[in-house]
Amino acid sequence: MTTIQFDPTEHPHRRRNVLNGDWVLVSPHRTKRPWQGQVERTPPDDRPAYDPKCYLCPGNERAGGRQNPPYPSTFVFDNDFAALLADGPRGPVGDDAFFQAEGETGVCRVICFSPRHDLTLPQMAVADIRRVVDVWSEQVVELGANPAIHYVQLFENKGAVMGCSNPHPHGQIWASSSVPLEPAKEDEQQRAYLARKGTPLLLDYLAAELANGERLVVENEHWVALTPYWAVWPFETMLLPRRHVRSVPGLSNDERNALAAILKRLLTRYDNLFETSFPYSMGWHGQPTDGKEHPHWQLHAHFYPPLLRSATVKKFMVGYEMLANPQRDITAEQAADRLRQMSEVHYRSGS
Ligand code: H2U
Ligand code: ZN
């Protein structure tokens, strides 16, 4: 037993992710050197409003040979190179002890957030972001109604460093016959918590974060964005509704408007942090669409941005993290503080 008083800003420690059961190693002593405040600028990303060579712009031909309509707001299409196919074997396809496999079926779609090639979500008008929220909802309803689809994963992969192939603002949907790994881990933890405490895990967690305040980033009447206690990525955030809502289609009209507004504010802060269009993978986690009751589920979005110190210095998940355990230096509290200091006026809005 140690007699040294634990100081979370000084002593290396492990934090438990209560949402998925994983752990993260935090090494706060390595950030004691003062922040230089230096921002390495990248050349401005000046894109045209319409790019004749972009496969997502209105009216253009896609790589698969299909043509996009001259869409005025959002546009959803079946991915021409889908990772999942609608027809095929499902469930166990072999019972060998060493060579286990399950057939997986599903649907993959692409959502164009805007006809404008030059915009990103934080640069869009709140009313246009609201349209994206409605598309997310419509897609979960439509795909989730298919009895062969048990999970609808909505996500956005943004920025070349994330492997995103096209800067045209877009997201994706992969809807599958099984519940994928990450939502399955969250399902298990949330289920166990409700059984133990009688209240949904993330509602109690949000109440604790609101009482503490250290990790809060932005709030409005219906939503809270925070850096989770167990964050792995340097500026990781989680976006939570204040009310118990199990999936996107459960959001009220007011909650959808408030969501569009807080997305713009959060993503503007992200862009302002290193004065760059902030890369990330984001996605929604809501209840499975397997036709069962999921009172333990609370809807939330995760934002996983890789940037660490500037527009060009990213965190690598290598070495110890691949072999042993994810690790971070800057604490979730320090990251929240940095994001709280950011302006909500986009750095490019005056240019
Ligand atoms: P990113 O979000 O990682 O850039 O991927 C874009 C998706 O768009 C990718 O899954 C699809 C790719 O298969 N796509 C089409 O469906 N049609 C095309 O013409 C090009 C890209
Ligand atoms: Zn385009």
Side-chain angles (χ1 to χ4, degrees):
M1 271 291 278
T2 176
T3 51
I4 302 171
Q5 181 69 34
F6 172 61
D7 177 354
T9 67
E10 190 69 53
H11 300 124
H13 58 283
R14 301 203 314 150
R15 295 187 185 191
R16 181 155 186 272
N17 181 334
V18 296
L19 185 54
N20 70 10
D22 290 348
W23 290 82
V24 56
L25 174 63
V26 185
S27 312
H29 60 293
R30 301 217 301 193
T31 54
K32 280 286 132 129
R33 52 207 150 96
W35 173 251
Q36 301 292 293
Q38 151 201 353
V39 175
E40 280 165 54
R41 280 165 213 276
T42 43
D45 175 20
D46 286 318
R47 302 198 299 272
Y50 167 76
D51 178 350
K53 290 200 281 294
C54 168
Y55 59 74
L56 298 180
C57 272
N60 290 0
E61 190 176 309
R62 299 204 300 274
R66 304 260 179 134
Q67 196 185 1
N68 298 326
Y71 62 94
S73 60
T74 56
F75 171 54
V76 181
F77 62 91
D78 283 332
N79 196 310
D80 299 305
F81 309 97
L84 294 162
L85 302 173
D87 298 313
R90 214 171 288 143
V93 287
D95 56 3
D96 189 282
F98 299 112
F99 309 109
Q100 293 183 26
E102 287 182 5
E104 183 82 86
T105 59
V107 176
C108 296
R109 290 180 174 166
V110 177
I111 310 174
C112 297
F113 294 156
S114 162
R116 287 272 302 267
H117 186 79
D118 56 334
L119 299 183
T120 60
L121 281 174
Q123 294 167 307
M124 285 165 57
V126 172
D128 295 335
I129 304 174
R130 163 66 201 251
R131 178 70 205 125
V132 174
V133 172
D134 287 335
V135 170
W136 281 331
S137 173
E138 289 157 19
Q139 291 295 317
V140 173
V141 169
E142 183 191 318
L143 292 164
N146 178 341
I149 286 176
H150 288 178
Y151 202 80
V152 181
Q153 182 60 58
L154 305 166
F155 66 100
E156 177 190 6
N157 214 18
K158 176 169 175 261
V161 295
M162 297 306 293
C164 179
S165 58
N166 188 329
H168 192 111
H170 70 283
Q172 295 195 47
I173 310 164
W174 292 24
S176 55
S177 56
S178 68
V179 179
L181 194 59
E182 289 301 322
K185 289 197 283 186
E186 295 186 356
D187 184 68
E188 190 183 324
Q189 297 298 327
Q190 292 181 98
R191 183 189 306 277
Y193 185 93
L194 184 79
R196 209 166 59 240
K197 304 270 187 174
T199 43
L201 186 159
L202 284 180
L203 284 181
D204 287 0
Y205 172 66
L206 179 60
E209 288 288 17
L210 288 168
N212 175 294
E214 278 185 292
R215 282 168 296 275
L216 303 179
V217 177
V218 225
E219 291 180 55
N220 66 20
E221 194 188 343
H222 296 288
W223 294 87
V224 179
L226 51 84
T227 58
Y229 180 71
W230 54 78
V232 166
W233 294 94
F235 294 95
E236 176 177 336
T237 55
M238 191 158 74
L239 183 55
L240 291 149
R242 291 184 193 267
R243 190 173 64 91
H244 186 199
V245 182
R246 299 178 199 179
S247 61
V248 179
L251 295 171
S252 70
N253 185 53
D254 286 353
E255 284 166 333
R256 291 172 189 220
N257 285 334
L259 172 56
I262 203 167
L263 277 171
K264 187 172 172 87
R265 294 172 58 200
L266 174 65
L267 298 179
T268 297
R269 285 170 184 268
Y270 268 161
D271 280 7
N272 287 344
L273 186 61
F274 300 129
E275 298 199 354
T276 194
S277 184
F278 211 61
Y280 57 74
S281 279
M282 73 77 65
W284 287 99
H285 281 157
Q287 67 179 354
T289 55
D290 54 4
K292 300 192 185 119
E293 276 298 305
H294 300 278
H296 52 287
W297 259 96
Q298 171 70 337
L299 173 71
H300 58 277
H302 296 284
F303 290 84
Y304 300 134
L307 294 186
L308 175 63
R309 260 198 306 277
S310 71
T312 51
V313 180
K314 64 170 271 208
K315 174 186 175 66
F316 288 94
M317 284 281 201
V318 295
Y320 189 79
E321 315 194 292
M322 285 180 101
L323 274 306
N325 204 127
Q327 182 271 347
R328 65 181 294 140
D329 293 345
I330 170 180
T331 62
E333 297 73 43
Q334 289 167 330
D337 192 50
R338 294 278 311 279
L339 289 169
R340 271 197 305 268
Q341 287 169 32
M342 291 299 124
S343 162
E344 289 185 358
V345 178
H346 197 274
Y347 75 99
R348 293 204 67 182
S349 62
S351 67

